Amino acid sequence: MRNLLICLGLGFFAVASLDAAGDKDKPVASQPQGTRVAVVDIDRVLEKWNQAVEDRINLESAQNQFESDLRTRETKLEAAMQSAKLQENKAKQDKLAQIEADKNELKAFVMVKQETLLELQRKSFSRWYKGGSDASSECAKERGFDLVLVADSNPELMSSQDLKESLKFFHMYREQVGLRKVLYARSEVDLTQAVIDRLNGTQPK
């Protein structure tokens, strides 16, 4: 669940290009050559940003509670169904009618809880996107960078034992490489720690 949330969060946390300080009103063609580019490792930011960590804990807790409540209701419903098999005539009919009502209630419960979880995720992802984008922009402007790109914390590509056909593997490789933003960046242009410190309200060491 934790890794899924991080992966989902990365989709909402893309850092856009920045205008050079003092050049916001100039057209693109008039900007000087030698654009200064920085990078931010979004994966590491989400791992170290206190607010994102707290959000993930809350989301995981809500998900676990939902799953626990669902199992309890399903177990109770299954017991009622077994009990109905032992009933006869009118008592059995009443029991089956109650079971049908309980099934409908369970469906409604699942729908409401799923909507609640999705809303919690949406709010968290929006907070991550805005917080990360704002912090990246501020750190870049303070240091005179014109553009911020998303860096990859893990250079390894995912693989699958099931992908045995070379053509399928080739397509998977191209897709994953195409998603990468930066293949190399000097440590001097990596703003990741500065962004984390700003988001957590701490001073860089």
Side-chain angles (χ1 to χ4, degrees), residues 45-144:
V45 169
L46 291 178
E47 286 279 2
K48 301 297 184 180
W49 180 12
N50 294 337
Q51 181 63 65
V53 172
E54 180 181 344
D55 287 340
R56 288 202 306 276
I57 292 174
N58 291 336
L59 285 169
E60 291 172 0
S61 176
Q63 177 69 31
N64 292 336
Q65 184 62 54
F66 163 64
E67 293 175 356
S68 176
D69 292 344
L70 181 59
R71 285 193 298 269
T72 298
R73 288 170 178 258
E74 288 176 336
T75 299
K76 184 178 179 181
L77 186 59
E78 179 63 27
M81 293 173 65
Q82 293 297 327
S83 175
K85 294 179 181 180
L86 304 177
Q87 303 291 332
E88 294 183 0
N89 302 326
K90 181 68 168 57
K92 185 173 184 178
Q93 301 255 340
D94 293 342
K95 194 75 171 179
L96 291 174
Q98 181 59 50
I99 289 174
E100 192 63 30
D102 291 341
K103 286 182 179 180
N104 292 332
E105 182 181 342
L106 180 59
K107 290 179 181 178
F109 166 79
V110 170
M111 289 182 62
V112 170
K113 288 297 183 180
Q114 287 179 337
E115 286 294 328
T116 300
L117 289 172
L118 286 174
E119 181 63 15
L120 287 174
Q121 289 180 357
R122 186 193 67 78
K123 289 181 178 180
S124 294
F125 296 162
S126 296
R127 181 160 49 245
W128 297 354
Y129 174 82
K130 178 168 175 43
S133 296
D134 289 349
S136 297
S137 299
E138 292 165 3
C139 290
K141 290 176 181 177
E142 289 174 358
R143 291 160 177 77

Side-chain angles (χ1 to χ4, degrees), residues 9-19 36-46 49 125 127-141 145-152 179-182 189-192 195-196 199:
L10 294 177
F12 285 80
F13 195 0
V15 182
S17 60
L18 305 173
D19 292 319
R36 296 195 64 204
V37 179
V39 298
V40 173
D41 185 339
I42 300 305
D43 196 1
R44 189 152 67 92
V45 169
L46 291 178
W49 180 12
F125 296 162
R127 181 160 49 245
W128 297 354
Y129 174 82
K130 178 168 175 43
S133 296
D134 289 349
S136 297
S137 299
E138 292 165 3
C139 290
K141 290 176 181 177
F145 288 103
D146 308 303
L147 182 71
V148 178
L149 300 178
V150 176
D152 302 296
L179 293 174
R180 299 298 170 99
K181 306 299 189 302
V182 177
V189 300
D190 190 339
L191 300 181
T192 304
V195 170
I196 294 172
L199 289 168

